[in-house]
Amino acid sequence: MKRRDGLARLARIGPPLTLAILAGPILAGLTGTVLPAFGYLPALGGTAFGTDAFAALLAMPGIARSAALSLTTGLASAGLSLLIVMLFIAGWAGTRSFARVQSMISPLLSVPHAAAAFGFAFLIAPSGLLARLVSPGLTGWTRPPDLLVLNDPAGLALIAGLVVKEVPFLLLVTLAALPQVRLTETRALAAALGYGRIAGFLYLAWPAIYRQIRLAVFAVIAFAASVVDVAIILGPSTPATLAVRLVGWMNDPNLSMRFVASAGALLQLAVVAAALALWVLAERLFARLREALVARGTRMRHDAGLRHGALGLMTASGAIVLAGLVALGLWSLAGLWPFPQPLPSTFMLKPWIETLPRVSRPLGTTLAAAALSTFVAVALTLLCLLRERDTGRTGGRKALTFIYLPLIVPQVAFLFGLQFLFLSLGFVASFPGLVLAHLIFVLPYVFLSLSDPWRAFDRRYEAIAAGLGKRRWRTLFAIRLPMLARPILTAAAVGFAVSVGQYLPTLLIGAGRLPTITTEAVALASGGARRTIGIYAFLQMLLPAIGFAIAIGVPALLFRNRRAMQ
């Protein structure tokens, strides 16, 4: 009985500790952002409240354009991604084509955003792989064309780069919600009434599915409207998006610019709030449109063109990411590669040999921070789920909101304040501070990845063990955890990939003294050293891939004689 009580007491600390890690730094960071925004930061001579920082912010050239770019980027990329996923599932769920595309798209979730952005840039640049493949035969180009494809003022390249990366995320989230509706029966009913596949899905199944993924869509909007690393690689620079300009002001040698950066962080928060408000309005308009189409009896029987278009866009999004990764690998090994040759004239290991000594320190920091933050996130998630099992409460919508809190609140809105707080505590540029900053973003993904498999576990196994006199510790470590080895390792791989891809938390909390593969790769974005960029971005992509390979391989090895547990 004591061991049982001990396990319960240990599990009891999980939820409050998790809540403190998720909400505490965000609230403290927001406070540390609001005070300097209104002029109060004694460390820099700000002892009186005022609105001078906001006046200076509004006087910045192009600030309205930067805010508008952030707003349109968030809405356009999220809207296009969700539309592609919705039409694809509506038209192809349950088919062989659906299974093939799903098997291609799912692994791409592990690719960090910066690595995918670099690969996309290497594809669409005027001297990129796509231009080489069609030149000079289809274009007549014998030298790179003078076209502003990357970093275009409208942010089209940025939107496209975000879409191809967010489509895998929204697809997997939607697939997790799909069992909530009886898709086969729903489709049969719609077909019997003469509705096409897409119309039947939108009218009958989509409302229930969307309610399950709504917070995930909000997270995508908030991320796209405030992303920094992808915007540096693909976004415009005259002016840049608001988040990119904020980071520049925060790192300005003129320390008074930190007041302006804090005011800008609140503006970024307002931009994200406006994007979410506009999205909610769009939800209502779409709901009314759907109701109007239902009332008119619009059946959309001839939807083959729309279905095949969705299949093409979904396949293209996966193919673009894969082709970009191929481009990264080619550039990391390329010798002489003049335009318009489709492949390098020679391949060599010299770029790797020259770069690897410089990579060792960022690589070590990346691996250590990712491993430790992932381990803590998995441990806290297991404690929360054990507590949930004891109390019988699933947490509900409020708990889920807290899980999504670090994903919905823009990073720049609270990381500036968190950096000020860490500076006052002497915590900036320390490895524990870096791990804590990563943990804030790793923990939600680990919890969301592991919670459903944990709740789906058949508790009759534990009941049998209890009937045989086994204590809870023994049951946990001998039955539940081994049977959930694959979901636990998969959740850990997801958390590891999230940590590897963290740019802004590493840049601000690490203060440039704890570089990682991601920060070093993004720092090279403004240069022309494609071989070096290719090496760093390829390593950034390779690390999460290794994590997922371990998550797949270890259960297969441990349970090679138990097919059901592999």
Side-chain angles (χ1 to χ4, degrees):
M1 182 64 67
K2 290 183 179 180
R3 290 186 181 180
R4 181 172 182 173
D5 292 341
L7 181 60
R9 285 196 298 269
L10 182 62
R12 195 176 295 122
I13 69 173
L17 185 57
T18 300
L19 180 62
I21 291 175
L22 292 178
I26 294 177
L27 296 177
L30 287 174
T31 302
T33 299
V34 170
L35 293 179
F38 286 95
Y40 185 80
L41 186 60
L44 297 181
T47 56
F49 288 95
T51 58
D52 293 345
F54 289 97
L57 173 67
L58 296 178
M60 287 289 177
I63 189 65
R65 174 66 177 166
S66 296
L69 277 171
S70 297
L71 180 67
T72 56
T73 297
L75 290 174
S77 59
L80 289 173
S81 302
L82 186 63
L83 181 64
I84 292 171
V85 170
M86 179 181 67
L87 294 178
F88 173 69
I89 292 181
W92 298 95
T95 65
R96 290 183 179 180
S97 297
F98 183 85
R100 294 192 192 102
V101 174
Q102 181 185 348
S103 64
M104 178 186 71
I105 293 289
S106 298
L108 301 181
L109 186 63
S110 66
V111 180
H113 283 81
F118 275 121
F120 187 62
F122 282 12
L123 278 182
I124 68 171
S127 60
L129 192 58
L130 292 180
R132 292 172 181 271
L133 292 175
V134 298
S135 300
L138 298 180
T139 63
W141 296 334
T142 57
R143 62 182 62 187
D146 187 14
L147 298 174
L148 188 58
V149 180
L150 289 175
N151 312 119
D152 62 287
L156 298 179
L158 174 58
I159 292 172
L162 288 170
V163 167
V164 299
K165 189 61 183 72
E166 296 303 344
V167 159
F169 173 71
L170 288 177
L171 175 63
L172 295 183
V173 170
T174 306
L175 289 177
L178 203 57
Q180 304 298 322
V181 298
R182 300 169 67 178
L183 186 61
T184 303
E185 292 84 349
T186 299
R187 180 169 290 166
L189 175 62
L193 296 175
Y195 288 89
R197 279 197 169 196
I198 292 179
F201 181 84
L202 294 183
Y203 297 161
L204 299 177
W206 181 248
I209 292 174
Y210 183 74
R211 283 194 292 271
Q212 300 293 322
I213 68 171
R214 191 170 184 241
L215 285 176
V217 175
F218 284 179
V220 169
I221 296 172
F223 173 82
S226 59
V227 66
V228 176
D229 50 354
V230 180
I232 291 175
I233 298 166
L234 298 175
S237 57
T238 53
T241 60
L242 181 58
V244 174
R245 297 186 71 179
L246 294 181
V247 174
W249 295 336
M250 196 66 182
N251 294 322
D252 196 293
N254 182 3
L255 296 181
S256 64
M257 289 301 295
R258 300 204 172 193
F259 293 98
V260 180
S262 297
L266 295 186
L267 176 59
Q268 179 70 74
L269 185 61
V271 167
V272 171
L276 295 177
L278 289 173
W279 186 265
V280 171
L281 178 61
E283 290 176 347
R284 296 178 180 177
L285 293 176
F286 181 83
R288 291 186 179 182
L289 175 62
R290 185 178 57 83
E291 292 171 0
L293 292 175
V294 171
R296 291 178 57 185
T298 304
R299 285 170 165 77
M300 298 174 61
R301 296 187 185 94
H302 306 292
D303 60 1
L306 195 57
R307 288 191 291 111
H308 284 89
L311 177 62
L313 289 174
M314 180 64 71
T315 305
S317 66
I320 287 172
V321 177
L322 292 173
L325 299 180
V326 171
L328 291 177
L330 287 175
W331 270 109
S332 70
L333 296 170
L336 181 64
W337 195 359
F339 189 89
Q341 285 186 198
L343 293 174
S345 301
T346 59
F347 292 93
M348 58 183 184
L349 293 174
K350 183 179 178 181
W352 282 87
I353 295 173
E354 293 178 347
T355 305
L356 282 179
R358 301 196 301 270
V359 170
S360 58
R361 185 188 173 206
L363 183 61
T365 304
T366 302
L367 291 173
L372 189 54
S373 60
T374 300
F375 175 79
V376 175
V378 171
L380 288 174
T381 298
L382 290 175
L383 289 177
C384 290
L385 293 173
L386 282 170
R387 179 61 177 168
E388 176 184 298
R389 183 190 64 178
D390 292 340
T391 60
R393 294 193 296 267
T394 59
R397 188 172 297 274
K398 292 183 179 180
L400 191 61
T401 302
F402 281 112
I403 291 297
Y404 274 102
L405 191 61
L407 309 182
I408 294 177
V409 179
Q411 292 185 359
V412 294
F414 69 91
L415 283 177
F416 287 173
L418 194 62
Q419 186 190 41
F420 285 136
L421 177 63
F422 280 12
L423 278 171
S424 63
L425 298 175
F427 216 39
V428 164
S430 67
F431 184 73
L434 181 65
V435 171
L436 177 59
H438 282 212
L439 182 61
I440 296 170
F441 303 100
V442 170
L443 183 54
Y445 283 99
V446 171
F447 186 91
L448 294 172
S449 299
L450 186 55
S451 56
D452 286 342
W454 179 276
R455 292 164 183 161
F457 181 79
D458 191 344
R459 295 191 64 180
R460 288 177 295 182
Y461 291 109
E462 294 179 324
I464 293 173
L468 294 174
K470 302 299 181 183
R471 298 184 182 274
R472 292 186 68 192
W473 278 105
R474 177 69 174 169
T475 301
L476 176 65
F477 285 100
I479 297 178
R480 183 182 278 254
L481 293 185
M483 294 183 71
L484 292 176
R486 180 181 287 275
I488 291 172
L489 289 174
T490 300
V494 170
F496 187 85
V498 170
S499 178
V500 169
Q502 291 302 312
Y503 172 72
L504 193 60
T506 306
L507 182 69
L508 294 179
I509 305 304
R513 283 176 277 177
L514 293 172
T516 63
I517 292 294
T518 298
T519 57
E520 293 296 283
V522 176
L524 295 168
S526 59
R530 289 193 177 186
R531 292 172 181 82
T532 306
I533 293 175
I535 292 171
Y536 275 91
F538 191 81
L539 286 173
Q540 192 195 21
M541 176 272 299
L542 186 62
L543 294 179
I546 293 174
F548 278 93
I550 293 173
I552 295 172
V554 168
L557 180 63
L558 291 178
F559 307 119
R560 57 188 178 275
N561 297 323
R562 296 174 175 85
R563 182 180 301 176
M565 294 183 65
Q566 291 181 10

